[in-house]
Amino acid sequence: MNSARKFLISSLIVLLLVPFSIGCSEDPGSGPQKSPTEAAKGKLFGVSFQTLNNPFFVDLGEGLKKEIEANGDRLVILDAQFNSLKQKNDLSDLILQGAAGIFVNPVNWEGLKGSLLEAQRKNVPIIIVDAPVKKSDEELIVCTVASDNVLAGKLAAQALAKVNPKAKLVVLHLSVNKACIDRVEGFKTEMTQYPEMEILDVQEAKGTTEGARPVMRDLIGRYPDLNAVFAINDPNALGVISALDSANKLDQVTIVTVDGSQPGIKAIQAGKLHSTSAQFPREIGQIAAQKMLAHLRGEEVEKDVKVRVELITAENAEQFLEAN
Amino acid sequence: MKVVKQMVPLLVAIIILLLLFRIWVPTFLSAENMLNLTQQISVNTILAFGMTLVILIGGIDLSVGAMVALVGTTTVFCLSALSGDSQNLFLVFAAMLAGLGIAAIFGTFHGIAASKTAMPPFIITLASMLIARGCALRFNSGLPMPIEEQQTFFLAIGNGRLFDVIPIPVVIMLTLFFLMALLLHRTRFGQHVYALGGNREAALYTGIPVVRVEILVYLLCSLMAGVAGMIHTAQLYSAEPGSGEMFELTAIAAVVVGGTSFTGGRGTMFGTLIGAVIIGILDKGLNQAGVHYSLQYIVKGAVILIAVYLDVRRNR
């Protein structure tokens, strides 16, 4: 009897809450209309990164911010923490806040369609940074701005061939990520020039320092004649270095990688890492912002924008650090 | 009446939060933003409904996050295998049943292990969290599996809108809320759940079918995770073997903020719904106000502590 009443009352409250939450205020929640305070601050742009736990993305964000703020607009930087649901929700929020344009670095390069469709319904242009999206999704975006990852892989192979043309190497991969797939692709393409080089094994290592350590330790045990490593990014290479260091094998193994982060270049200067194909994240951000503004001005933008990469070895590490 | 009294502080908290974020974010209370909020909380709320039952009997289920991933990958795998790129509704239902079937197997196992052995539910579900995650990662070598565009029915579960207004996930969430609330507050099974959580020994001696109730509770919790997994997968247009991490903790947070006691025997479905709404408002509000994500974590942690402290103090 009592429980029946309780149930009735609580369902009533629920029913009351639903309209309350739907029809609360008459603010236009969409479109480019802005309150006067916001109009003074210029347009709103947003960027969602798969993680901000990697200096590369922090720099990319800086590049975007600088370019967008120079134009009198503002940029909101969001971290999806490798969680595609969080990314989807973050993008919804940006779209609902009437963002003039959004930059996305996808967590799951095949799982962005829902957000892209939502943006399209509200006419919010989207630019993808650092990693491509599915071919069938390309019509929903303005363009992709990313490093020339194939070239980065080729440069790594060339650098290795110069010092160790008969390398017996292992590859530490992150095959969920399209950028990394391209790097390994470029590396293998270039390797065909050096028939004496041989890949002993390809292993997944999560693209992080802590992911690479245990994998590398196992590989040392399994391949005694291993004398080179291609890791897909700097954090990965640092994990490889620490594993080899603790096994006292660092001087017998040449390590090449892709990234050009500060810790990576310091490792080159310390003689632990042979080379890294540097990317220019600030430049990627800057170019992406310019393309967005051009698109908003109604100009035509090419679909696939590639940003330069440059090989860093002990010879030019010093200059590179100073220049950046 | 006591239930309503208990809910007053939570409802007041919701209104205060809404008004607070309205000051920060001018468009926060717009119809569209609020609808979007309900859509965003739907997955967590559905998980929390199942979690409420488990916590009410003094148990816990840590496997729901991994279950979301496993049900998603199983369903999408069957979808691709059965109907390929054409849509046959019968086969779509078969694929969805396969997903729910996997969840049911796990849930039944949790219930049997928890009621028939002396193993703590925390350990049982921790182990099956690892097993379920591993099973999910077996599909497509751990890579995401996109859903074919032709599967309009399945995709509608996560992205469709009823009458072009109310998101389908919200419809599912509210339907499940009414069903679960009925089950917990209006049936004998519900009374048994409270009795079991209040005092297991006493429940045994009064002739309550303890084993059956416990199995049913864990089964329902896993099935809820199954439904949540389908919505989550459809929303992402692909099944991700790695998705759903930490979902169990967000669900537990919603349950305890909603006033369910962690030692069992006290709590309501309505409280859980409110708890999930509070956490959802915090998430969305802090995000739209542009608060750095590190601070968002700290604020959420503090809110959970405050809510549970007030609740414990009131019920001493």
Side-chain angles (χ1 to χ4, degrees):
Chain A
M1 185 59 233
N2 198 8
S3 70
R5 199 179 337 147
K6 276 183 209 166
F7 183 68
L8 264 177
I9 290 171
S10 44
S11 14
L12 263 178
I13 294 177
V14 173
L15 289 174
L16 282 174
L17 259 181
V18 172
F20 169 81
S21 68
I22 291 175
C24 232
S25 94
E26 292 311 302
D27 262 332
S30 61
Q33 293 154 293
K34 296 266 188 303
S35 62
T37 48
E38 260 184 85
K41 275 187 286 186
K43 290 200 285 280
L44 167 74
F45 290 93
V47 56
S48 166
F49 288 112
Q50 57 181 319
T51 177
L52 281 170
N53 206 347
N54 180 338
F56 175 88
F57 293 116
V58 178
D59 287 349
L60 207 163
E62 291 290 322
L64 280 170
K65 204 176 169 103
K66 209 167 150 188
E67 192 71 17
I68 281 176
E69 286 182 349
N71 211 21
D73 298 328
R74 20 182 220 122
L75 176 75
V76 179
I77 300 178
L78 296 165
D79 179 355
Q81 299 154 36
F82 293 120
N83 175 344
S84 31
L85 182 68
K86 184 167 188 326
Q87 182 158 63
K88 188 182 158 79
N89 292 345
D90 285 353
L91 294 174
S92 293
D93 281 352
L94 283 172
I95 293 165
L96 285 171
Q97 283 175 287
I102 299 175
F103 304 89
V104 186
N105 160 244
V107 174
N108 168 2
W109 65 288
E110 291 175 310
L112 208 60
K113 193 174 179 79
S115 301
L116 294 177
L117 286 171
E118 205 179 330
Q120 192 188 35
R121 271 200 298 273
K122 290 266 189 281
N123 286 324
V124 181
I126 299 243
I127 286 183
I128 305 289
V129 288
D130 180 56
V133 284
K134 247 176 30 182
K135 273 275 173 278
S136 59
D137 291 349
E138 277 179 1
E139 65 206 37
L140 296 168
I141 59 173
V142 177
C143 66
T144 307
V145 184
S147 292
D148 191 339
N149 281 300
V150 175
L151 180 62
K154 282 184 177 167
L155 290 175
Q158 279 168 11
L160 179 59
K162 236 183 224 164
V163 289
N164 194 349
K166 296 181 183 175
K168 299 262 175 291
L169 70 128
V170 290
V171 176
L172 295 199
H173 204 337
L174 174 66
S175 60
V176 223
N177 184 307
K178 189 71 176 68
C180 300
I181 295 172
D182 288 349
R183 286 171 201 174
V184 174
E185 209 49 55
F187 188 92
K188 285 181 175 167
T189 313
E190 188 63 27
M191 240 182 72
T192 52
Q193 311 276 337
Y194 310 97
E196 304 228 3
M197 262 199 211
E198 185 197 345
I199 294 186
L200 300 169
D201 201 353
V202 179
Q203 286 279 347
E204 291 293 326
K206 296 182 185 164
T208 60
T209 305
E210 64 178 348
R213 261 183 70 108
V215 173
M216 197 59 217
R217 261 196 236 115
D218 294 347
L219 286 167
I220 301 167
R222 225 183 321 159
Y223 301 106
D225 56 347
L226 174 158
N227 60 16
V229 178
F230 172 51
I232 47 91
N233 67 9
D234 279 2
N236 237 194
L238 296 174
V240 171
I241 290 169
S242 103
L244 289 168
D245 230 354
S246 62
N248 271 332
K249 287 203 164 196
L250 197 53
D251 47 352
Q252 307 157 28
V253 182
T254 320
I255 306 162
V256 293
T257 181
V258 176
D259 232 350
S261 65
Q262 288 267 8
I265 292 167
K266 290 219 162 68
I268 291 179
Q269 289 176 314
K272 296 178 170 180
L273 178 64
H274 175 66
S275 82
T276 180
S277 314
Q279 313 185 74
F280 295 86
R282 279 207 169 79
E283 218 162 290
I284 297 177
Q286 207 179 354
I287 292 170
Q290 285 162 357
K291 296 287 174 203
M292 179 66 86
L293 296 171
H295 171 82
L296 290 173
R297 283 194 300 268
E299 294 166 28
E300 196 60 42
V301 176
E302 70 270 39
K303 271 280 174 206
D304 194 9
V305 185
K306 287 259 182 280
V307 180
R308 67 188 172 122
V309 287
E310 198 179 292
L311 188 74
I312 311 289
T313 55
E315 285 124 51
N316 59 357
E318 192 60 47
Q319 305 151 336
F320 185 84
L321 274 185
E322 278 165 21
N324 291 279
Chain B
M1 245 11 260
K2 200 166 137 245
V3 176
V4 180
K5 261 205 204 95
Q6 273 183 346
M7 288 303 136
V8 167
L10 288 174
L11 291 172
V12 170
I14 286 191
I15 291 165
I16 290 175
L17 280 175
L18 284 174
L19 293 176
L20 208 67
F21 285 125
R22 169 71 179 78
I23 296 167
W24 258 330
V25 185
T27 58
F28 196 71
L29 294 184
S30 70
E32 191 151 14
N33 208 27
M34 286 295 127
L35 269 177
N36 196 281
L37 170 75
T38 50
Q39 167 151 16
Q40 283 184 14
I41 65 170
S42 53
V43 168
N44 181 40
T45 312
I46 292 170
L47 288 175
F49 291 155
M51 193 65 81
T52 307
L53 289 179
V54 175
I55 290 177
L56 273 176
I57 64 166
I60 192 81
D61 187 347
L62 297 179
S63 71
V64 295
M67 203 60 60
V68 162
L70 178 57
V71 170
T73 44
T74 309
T75 311
V76 171
F77 177 80
C78 293
L79 265 184
S80 314
L82 289 173
S83 53
D85 46 14
S86 66
Q87 184 174 248
N88 171 340
L89 275 188
F90 174 74
L91 292 175
V92 172
F93 281 120
M96 287 164 70
L97 271 177
L100 288 176
I102 292 272
I105 292 170
F106 271 88
T108 311
F109 164 73
H110 295 158
I112 292 172
S115 58
K116 296 267 196 185
T117 69
M119 288 194 285
F122 189 97
I123 308 295
I124 298 166
T125 56
L126 178 71
S128 70
M129 166 178 105
L130 295 172
I131 294 169
R133 176 68 64 196
C135 293
L137 289 165
R138 300 288 302 162
F139 288 100
N140 200 18
S141 59
L143 300 178
M145 299 188 279
I147 300 168
E148 298 291 342
E149 315 259 328
Q150 291 79 358
Q151 302 293 354
T152 44
F153 177 83
F154 187 74
L155 287 171
I157 294 175
N159 309 294
R161 291 199 161 197
L162 191 66
F163 315 125
D164 270 341
V165 186
I166 307 169
I168 301 282
V170 178
V171 176
I172 298 174
M173 171 180 94
L174 290 176
T175 311
L176 287 174
F177 168 70
F178 279 106
L179 288 175
M180 292 297 263
L182 269 174
L183 190 69
L184 183 61
H185 302 301
R186 300 301 311 280
T187 65
R188 181 163 298 172
F189 166 76
Q191 290 171 355
H192 289 171
V193 167
Y194 282 114
L196 202 61
N199 185 338
R200 198 190 163 93
E201 292 295 302
L204 259 172
Y205 290 128
T206 49
I208 288 174
V210 171
V211 173
R212 205 184 329 155
V213 172
E214 197 152 5
I215 291 175
L216 204 53
V217 163
Y218 280 98
L219 175 64
L220 280 168
C221 183
S222 289
L223 285 176
M224 288 289 148
V227 175
M230 306 234 182
I231 295 174
H232 181 65
T233 305
Q235 279 184 340
L236 296 178
Y237 283 77
S238 70
E240 293 182 27
S243 69
E245 280 196 346
M246 301 273 289
F247 278 22
E248 55 279 348
L249 299 183
T250 324
I252 293 169
V255 176
V256 295
V257 168
T260 295
S261 147
F262 218 70
T263 47
R266 200 171 50 76
T268 60
M269 276 298 155
F270 183 62
T272 297
L273 179 64
I274 300 292
V277 170
I278 288 180
I279 288 176
I281 292 175
L282 273 177
D283 262 336
K284 202 174 179 59
L286 292 170
N287 230 345
Q288 291 193 332
V291 176
H292 194 264
Y293 68 95
S294 57
L295 268 178
Q296 294 187 17
Y297 276 121
I298 295 169
V299 171
K300 263 200 289 189
V303 165
I304 292 170
L305 273 180
I306 292 166
V308 177
Y309 173 72
L310 291 176
D311 191 60
V312 169
R313 214 181 56 168
R314 236 198 358 244
N315 288 295
R316 243 202 325 238

